[in-house]
Every structure is written in C-alpha cells, then in structure tokens.
C-alpha cells in the first residue's frame, strides 16, 4: 500500500488505491472500507475488487468516498489471495486459501454540502446565487471569491467551495435572463383640443392599451389616464407604463359681421367671456 498507515479523505472525492504484489506468484487483490463504522465490511458499497496482479506488479483501483458517509476514522482493509480464485465480499473476514490481510485507517473529514439549485429563467433583473457553507473559501467561474454572486447576464455559473478540512465540492447552474421591453410613455401631458399621440415603441411586439387598442401607438382625444402593456414576443416578458393626458377645450372664436356704415364705430365681440384676449391692434 503506497499511502501512509492512516490518511485523510473527503466525502465525494475519488482516490487511487495502489497495491504492490510482493509475492512470488500472481495474487488476486481487493480492499474494503467500513464506511458506516459498524465493525463489519459486509455492507453494500464497502467492497472493492482490485483485480489480479502478477508477481512484482502494481495494480490500482479508484475508490469514491460516499458523499453522505460518516465523519469518522474507519478501517481500511487490503487483502490478497493466491491461486486462481477471485476475491469476493464473503472473503473479507477470512476463508482465504493463502494470502495476506493488512488493516489501515481512513479519517473521513466533514464534506461540503453544495447545490446552486435548478437552472433559473426569469424576466430581467439579476439572480443571487448563494454557495452557503459560511466560513469556507469560494471560487466562482467568473473569478469572484465571495459566498454569494449576483448574476445579471445569461450564462453558466459554477462555484467550488473548500471547507476548513480542505474538502471541496463544485456545483453549477444555468441562468437565463430573458429580455424585457423598455416602455416609457413620457411625462404627463396637456394638449389643446387634441388628440395626443402616444407611442409604446418596441416595434414588432404585442401591445395592450387600457382603451382596448393593440397597435404600437394610439390617439388620445379625451382626458384621462392611459396605460399600455408590451409583451416581448420571444421571451414572453411584459413591461407597462401609464401617462395622464389632459385635453383642454379650445375656444371657439367667431367675430360678428360688420355692416358698412358712414362714420361712427363698430363693436367687435370675441365671445368666450372670462378668457384672455389679444387683438391685432395690441388691445
């Protein structure tokens, strides 16, 4: 066994176990780990057949430490058997025709529980991605090193979290920030007579005005509040705006007909009592 007599591992990680056959003949190699620390190697997932090694050869198997295993120091047993009979899990505690057994130990450090969740799709704004695990170190795919990341553009985001025991985990998530229409009808307006033209911009999208119209622009010829909702046809995202329109009454001015006369004067009346007036002679 090329490692130390007792070594540390992290849940969820994969480790190579190399066994050297120092016998004069070929041997079948195997290993087992008491992951649940119950004094037995007979549970599922605790037996690792390594294979057959000729005299003087090395043979390696990769062992994945279960993500949800105990944080404890447990036994690692490495054993071999001569002859032509492969090792099985039933051979763990003996019944070897000829061979050797060595016990070592593994200290399984606390792992990192990490998940950025399901892929995210939303209309505009930004998404807060939180890697949890307070006090750990973080490395995000954009190079940032904080626990949380604000994702404001579409793309794949990933983070690797390392705890104080040097155990790491990586998680990724796909974020899609869908385009949202920018709708601005402008400041409230006042017009004389009317109508006022209201334009929701965003050509080619879907429009729903408060008066039932569905075109990009409408003519507002009466006073009131006008609103519009614009739907982006590709993303389904909606934006709205409202404007108050005041349509003032225009005076009706009809100067009275003057009959020609000799001398004297004529009286011209502009009507619209109470208004303000400006005649061509400055009065």
């Amino acid at each position: 066994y090329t490692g130390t007599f007792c070594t540390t591992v992290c849940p969820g990680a994969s480790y190579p176990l190399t066994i050297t056959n120092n016998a004069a003949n070929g041997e079948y190699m195997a290993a087992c780990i008491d992951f649940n620390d119950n004094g037995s190697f007979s549970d599922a997932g605790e037996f690792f057949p390594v294979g057959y090694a000729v005299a003087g050869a090395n043979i390696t198997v990769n062992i994945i430490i279960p993500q949800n295993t105990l944080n404890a120091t447990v036994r690692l047993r490495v054993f071999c058997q001569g002859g032509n009979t492969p090792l099985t899990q039933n051979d763990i505690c003996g019944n070897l025709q000829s061979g050797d057994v060595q016990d070592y130990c593994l200290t399984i450090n606390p792992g990192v529980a990490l998940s950025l969740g399901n892929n995210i799709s939303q209309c505009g704004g930004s998404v807060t991605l939180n890697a949890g695990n307070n006090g750990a170190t973080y490395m995000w795919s954009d190079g940032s090193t904080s626990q949380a990341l604000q994702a404001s553009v579409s793309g794949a985001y990933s983070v690797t979290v390392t705890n104080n025991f040097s155990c790491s985990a990586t998680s990724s998530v796909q974020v899609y920030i869908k385009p949202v229409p920018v709708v601005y009808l402008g400041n409230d307006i006042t017009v004389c007579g009317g109508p006022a033209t209201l334009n929701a911009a965003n050509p080619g999208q879907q429009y729903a005005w408060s008066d039932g119209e569905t075109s990009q622009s409408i003519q507002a010829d009466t006073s009131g509040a006008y609103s519009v909702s614009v739907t982006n046809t590709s993303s389904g995202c909606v934006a709205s705006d409202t404007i108050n329109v005041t349509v003032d009454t225009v005076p009706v001015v009809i100067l009275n007909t003057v009959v020609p006369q000799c001398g004297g004067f004529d009286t011209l009346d502009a009507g619209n009592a109470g208004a303000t007036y400006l005649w061509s002679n400055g009065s």
Side-chain angles (χ1 to χ4, degrees):
Y1 177 56
T2 58
T4 58
F5 287 101
C6 189
T7 190
T8 58
V9 294
C10 292
S14 176
Y15 298 90
L17 174 67
T18 299
I19 303 173
T20 301
N21 179 14
N22 287 323
N25 54 280
E27 301 274 348
Y28 279 96
M29 308 291 185
C32 49
I33 302 173
D34 185 14
F35 283 123
N36 58 10
D37 200 24
N38 67 350
S40 168
F41 295 114
S42 60
D43 298 297
E46 294 186 339
F47 176 69
F48 303 92
V50 181
Y52 183 82
V54 299
N58 294 333
I59 190 166
T60 300
V61 64
N62 284 321
I63 295 178
I64 298 176
I65 308 301
Q67 185 67 54
N68 59 348
T69 194
L70 292 174
N71 305 137
T73 298
V74 300
R75 280 193 302 168
L76 163 67
R77 174 167 290 179
V78 179
F79 55 109
C80 63
Q81 175 172 262
N84 296 317
T85 304
L87 290 166
T88 68
Q89 193 159 7
N90 293 329
D91 299 318
I92 290 174
C93 289
N95 303 320
L96 298 178
Q97 296 177 4
S98 63
D100 191 20
V101 171
Q102 295 286 338
D103 277 355
Y104 303 91
C105 69
L106 289 180
T107 297
I108 302 174
N109 283 332
V112 176
L114 176 63
S115 174
L116 293 179
N118 298 325
N119 292 338
I120 300 168
S121 179
Q122 71 175 39
C123 292
S126 62
V127 176
T128 299
L129 304 177
N130 195 322
N133 297 279
N134 294 341
T137 58
Y138 309 87
M139 178 54 67
W140 290 88
S141 49
D142 67 350
S144 59
T145 57
S146 58
Q147 179 178 329
L149 175 70
Q150 290 294 121
S152 57
V153 296
S154 298
Y157 293 82
S158 63
V159 64
T160 297
V161 178
T162 304
N163 64 16
N164 294 332
F165 297 92
S166 298
C167 292
S168 299
T170 300
S171 181
S172 62
V173 65
Q174 186 76 32
V175 175
Y176 179 39
I177 306 297
K178 298 187 288 186
V180 179
V182 178
V183 182
Y184 179 58
L185 296 176
N187 297 325
D188 293 345
I189 59 174
T190 299
V191 295
C192 291
T197 300
L198 305 180
N199 193 326
N202 300 278
Q205 308 307 312
Q206 294 178 344
Y207 310 89
W209 290 89
S210 51
D211 64 355
E213 292 290 335
T214 58
S215 58
Q216 178 179 325
S217 61
I218 64 170
Q219 300 297 313
D221 53 9
T222 59
S223 296
Y226 291 81
S227 62
V228 63
S229 293
V230 180
T231 303
N232 184 295
T233 55
S234 63
S235 68
C237 296
V238 181
S240 302
D241 193 28
T242 300
I243 187 174
N244 291 308
V245 176
T246 301
V247 180
D248 282 343
T249 302
V250 179
V252 178
V253 182
I254 302 176
L255 293 177
N256 53 301
T257 302
V258 177
V259 178
Q261 66 180 29
C262 296
F265 61 88
D266 288 322
T267 298
L268 305 179
D269 190 348
N272 298 280
T276 61
Y277 308 88
L278 180 60
W279 289 88
S280 55
N281 67 351
S283 61

